[in-house]
Every structure is written in structure tokens, then in C-alpha cells.
Amino acid sequence: LTNSKSIELNLKSQIQAFDVTNEKSSQGFEREIHRFRAERDALAKERDALDVSLKDKQLNLDQVTSELETLKRAMSGARKKMKASFDAQEKWMKSMDDLVKVHNVESQSARTEIENLEIEISQCRAEIQCMTQAEMIAEAEKICLEKSMKDHEESAVEA
């Protein structure tokens, strides 16, 4: 009877030790589960923030692209008008030269008109240069936004 009592006490002691170990393991697993959930939630928030940022970048890219297209159309129209203006000015300058030869009295007036036209042509060229620079800046901004959008997409994929 003593031996059976000893075995029973030993078994009870082992069961209690197992219960304590099991409870500690369960608590450890619960802590790990909570930690994993917190990490998952943080990653989801980061992904959501990246999605919002990506959408903002896409909107900015769409706006810059639209502005670039509008600028290109405006520049194309301006170039056509400038060419027509240049052609008309060249014809007018040739006719003025002919008149100068025929009418020496009016030569000083014609030279003044020619100088004014040359100034106007120079101003037109300066405007074309400004428009070209604006187009190049807009194109550079588009490229930067596309790269930024690609970087954010890659970040979002990695997250």
C-alpha cells in the first residue's frame, strides 16, 4: 500500500508539473500569437498607407501627364502660328526690300519696319525657347513621378 501511495503521489506530482509546463507553454504561444497579430496589423497599416501614397502619386502623375499633353498641344498650335507669322514676315520683308530699291525716299521707313520685324522674330524665338524649356521640365517631372510610383509599387509588393 505504501508503494502504491508513493506511485500515486509521484504521478500527481508529475501531472501537476506537466500542468504548470503546459500552462506556461500556452501563455508563451498566446504571447507569440498576439505579437504576430500586432506585426500583421502594423504591416497592413503600412500597406494601406503605401496604397494611399501610390494613389496620390498616380493622381499627380495623371495630372502632370494631362498638363504635359495640354502644353504640347498649345506649343504645336503656337509653332504653327509662329511659322505662318515667320513666312508672312519673310514675304513682307522681301517686298519691303523691293520697295526700298524702287523708292529711295521710303527707304528709311522700310529699314525701321525691318528692324521692328527682326525684334519681333527674336522675341518669338525667345518664346519658343521658353516653351521648349517648359516642355522639358514637365517631361522631367513626369519621369520622376513615374520612377517614384514604380518605387512605391515595389515597396508595396515587398510589404
Side-chain angles (χ1 to χ4, degrees):
L1 185 67
T2 313
N3 193 17
S4 123
K5 206 53 154 161
S6 170
I7 292 173
E8 184 181 331
L9 285 174
N10 186 19
L11 284 175
K12 283 184 180 179
S13 172
Q14 286 179 358
I15 290 171
Q16 286 176 345
F18 176 76
D19 286 345
V20 168
T21 302
N22 189 30
E23 186 172 323
K24 287 181 180 178
S25 293
S26 294
Q27 290 172 354
F29 286 136
E30 286 179 23
R31 281 192 301 273
E32 285 296 308
I33 288 171
H34 288 298
R35 186 178 65 80
F36 286 138
R37 284 181 180 157
E39 287 178 11
R40 181 198 64 202
D41 293 345
L43 287 172
K45 286 180 183 178
E46 186 177 334
R47 184 195 66 228
D48 292 344
L50 285 172
D51 286 344
V52 168
S53 177
L54 181 62
K55 287 177 184 175
D56 286 345
K57 297 288 183 189
Q58 183 63 48
L59 286 174
N60 286 341
L61 177 62
D62 292 346
Q63 182 181 1
V64 168
T65 301
S66 175
E67 290 172 1
L68 179 61
E69 291 303 318
T70 301
L71 181 60
K72 283 180 180 179
R73 284 191 300 273
M75 286 184 64
S76 176
R79 283 184 181 130
K80 288 176 185 174
K81 288 179 183 177
M82 295 276 187
K83 184 177 181 339
S85 176
F86 286 150
D87 291 346
Q89 288 173 4
E90 284 182 33
K91 286 179 184 179
W92 190 79
M93 286 172 55
K94 286 179 184 178
S95 69
M96 289 305 295
D97 283 341
D98 291 342
L99 285 174
V100 166
K101 291 175 187 173
V102 175
H103 305 282
N104 283 335
V105 177
E106 298 176 6
S107 68
Q108 186 57 42
S109 173
R111 285 192 184 103
T112 303
E113 284 294 326
I114 290 171
E115 289 173 2
N116 289 340
L117 287 174
E118 289 175 348
I119 290 170
E120 195 174 321
I121 288 171
S122 176
Q123 290 171 345
C124 289
R125 286 187 179 133
E127 287 178 26
I128 287 173
Q129 187 177 15
C130 286
M131 286 180 187
T132 302
Q133 288 174 349
E135 182 181 15
M136 288 169 45
I137 289 169
E139 188 67 35
E141 287 176 355
K142 178 183 175 185
I143 290 169
C144 287
L145 284 174
E146 286 173 343
K147 183 184 182 317
S148 176
M149 185 176 78
K150 182 179 176 187
D151 291 347
H152 279 290
E153 286 175 347
E154 290 173 0
S155 295
V157 168
E158 290 175 5

